[in-house]
Amino acid sequence: MLKIAVIGAGSWGTAIATSLGKKEYEVSLWHRREEIINNIKEKRENTKYLPGITIDENIHPTVNLEEALIDAEVIVLAVSSQAVRNVCESLEPYVNSDQIIVNLAKGLEADTYLRLSQVINEVLPYNEVYVLSGPSHAEEVAKGIPTTVVVSGESREKSEYLQEVFSTDTFRVYTNPDIVGVELGGALKNIIALGAGMSDGLGYGDNSKAALMTRGIVEISRLGKVLGAKSESFAGLTGIGDLIVTCTSMHSRNRRAGILLGEGKPLEDVLKEIGMVVEGINATKIAYQISNLYHCDMPITTAIYNVLYENADVKEVVNDMMTRKKKNEIEEINSLYYHGWK
């Protein structure tokens, strides 16, 4: 029987463990907090992070990393982006080079600006690292609602193996060789979702949000190309697909955080109310810094950075995002859509 270790028993880790458990794999589910693990053991439900979802008996909750990892063929990292390095350092004494690492987190590391697969490779250099990403809310995956995602990594053979491991009747997995584009699409869409939420919080309509999303994917693609991604990746599941679901769903913490900011609540209160990590907060700062480093124009990211870190007025910033008339940007958009004119 295939054994899989899921490291992180938040909503996404629990959802993936539940999905894998339905395939009758032996799944270990690790969390650092004993009260979370004890709750799962006693109630067969993660009442804090994924209430209402039954956790099957072939899923074994534990706080012991060595116990979770022993004999596991695949290790799934389901922790927040800024915790990836520390968690990998904790895993290092117990990991062997034959184990495949699959990362679920969407983000970039602060200070180093590394993609998360690069962070994992630094700490665990002898393990192959893959990424599973796409438009996939934990709440819906756990309920068996049809979902489609992408797995990406160095080897086509291993990617197709992981495609088979994770796929179910309701969880379809595609492969994509562009790990740079897959990771950047997942990380940067959270920024645009904050902006879409701010627009909603201000009471603006679908027109405004559609404009933000459309210009947002152009902005994501612009930075992605600078960092080595393939443009076509941003037109797929881990680009526009993930952007749509994150900007429109109330399952999205980033959109919900943006709504609260648009309603005038201070960031500290917003984070308390959400109660879980809002990846777009860190992603905005990191992407803003990278865009300055590479002289890459990212007006939406800059505007959201100003709200989060410079105390800019939300309404003024969103209005500016919607009506920005910078000459070179208009010329860029014209060249994209009207290059066939004579």
Side-chain angles (χ1 to χ4, degrees):
M1 183 185 294
L2 178 64
K3 181 178 178 182
I4 300 176
V6 178
I7 306 302
S11 56
W12 195 203
T14 304
I16 280 291
T18 301
S19 179
L20 293 168
K22 286 179 168 48
K23 297 188 75 171
E24 298 186 352
Y25 300 143
E26 182 183 351
V27 181
S28 56
L29 179 60
W30 176 88
H31 197 280
R32 61 184 176 81
R33 289 169 55 188
E34 196 164 352
E35 63 270 24
I36 299 293
I37 292 302
N38 287 339
N39 175 263
I40 295 172
K41 285 180 177 178
E42 291 167 10
K43 300 187 176 181
R44 302 311 302 181
E45 177 185 350
N46 190 338
T47 56
K48 178 171 177 59
Y49 293 113
L50 201 64
I53 301 299
T54 300
I55 296 174
D56 294 337
E57 294 295 332
N58 59 320
I59 299 172
H60 309 291
T62 181
V63 293
N64 187 313
L65 269 177
E66 184 175 12
E67 176 186 317
L69 296 175
I70 193 167
D71 297 328
E73 188 169 328
V74 177
I75 299 170
V76 180
L77 290 183
V79 299
S80 66
S81 62
Q82 302 312 305
V84 166
R85 184 177 293 274
N86 286 339
V87 169
C88 286
E89 288 170 350
S90 299
L91 297 178
E92 195 272 336
Y94 312 113
V95 170
N96 68 67
S97 60
D98 294 329
Q99 293 171 307
I100 302 171
I101 311 268
V102 179
N103 179 53
L104 306 185
K106 298 172 181 178
L108 299 164
E109 186 177 53
D111 301 325
T112 67
Y113 306 150
L114 293 175
R115 290 177 286 106
L116 298 181
S117 66
Q118 294 174 305
V119 174
I120 299 165
N121 275 316
E122 278 196 352
V123 183
L124 302 170
Y126 303 109
N127 294 86
E128 290 189 69
V129 179
Y130 291 79
V131 173
L132 188 76
S133 190
S136 49
H137 290 308
E139 297 85 351
E140 296 186 4
V141 170
K143 292 176 181 176
I145 293 173
T147 300
T148 309
V149 297
V150 167
V151 66
S152 183
E154 182 178 349
S155 162
R156 175 177 176 175
E157 181 183 358
K158 290 287 177 62
S159 294
E160 291 177 349
Y161 165 72
L162 293 169
Q163 179 183 39
E164 178 65 27
V165 167
F166 284 91
S167 291
T168 72
D169 290 342
T170 59
F171 193 71
R172 176 176 290 182
V173 183
Y174 288 95
T175 61
N176 184 337
D178 180 23
I179 192 170
V180 179
V182 168
E183 288 190 279
L184 290 176
L188 299 177
K189 54 88 184 180
N190 288 327
I191 303 168
I192 309 305
L194 283 170
M198 290 176 193
S199 177
D200 289 335
L202 287 164
Y204 294 170
D206 295 336
N207 296 351
S208 303
K209 186 153 59 179
L212 278 170
M213 291 167 65
T214 306
R215 290 179 54 195
I217 198 66
V218 172
E219 188 165 309
I220 290 169
S221 302
R222 188 183 302 144
L223 184 61
K225 285 192 287 185
V226 168
L227 297 178
K230 296 178 181 177
S231 299
E232 54 265 33
S233 293
F234 301 109
L237 287 166
T238 58
I240 191 67
D242 213 351
L243 183 71
I244 290 169
V245 79
T246 312
C247 288
T248 60
S249 173
M250 283 303 287
H251 288 312
S252 167
R253 300 173 208 166
N254 294 283
R255 181 187 174 220
R256 296 200 324 263
I259 290 171
L260 296 172
L261 289 166
E263 291 172 348
K265 295 185 179 180
L267 180 58
E268 184 178 348
D269 292 347
V270 168
L271 295 176
K272 285 180 181 176
E273 184 165 337
I274 299 295
M276 290 185 278
V277 174
V278 179
E279 291 284 11
I281 304 294
N282 279 319
T284 299
K285 186 174 184 178
I286 298 165
Y288 173 78
Q289 292 168 337
I290 295 174
S291 69
N292 287 335
L293 186 66
Y294 286 94
H295 306 290
C296 182
D297 189 33
M298 298 187 73
I300 297 174
T301 298
T302 300
I304 295 168
Y305 174 87
N306 288 335
V307 170
L308 298 175
Y309 296 101
E310 301 293 342
N311 296 315
D313 180 79
V314 177
K315 188 169 186 177
E316 289 182 10
V317 162
V318 173
N319 285 344
D320 183 59
M321 284 193 289
M322 297 306 306
T323 59
R324 192 171 186 266
K325 295 182 177 67
K326 192 171 180 180
K327 187 174 185 295
N328 65 350
E329 183 182 350
I330 292 173
E331 289 173 351
E332 179 185 7
I333 291 171
N334 286 348
S335 71
L336 285 172
Y337 294 108
Y338 303 117
H339 55 81
W341 281 7
K342 297 180 180 179

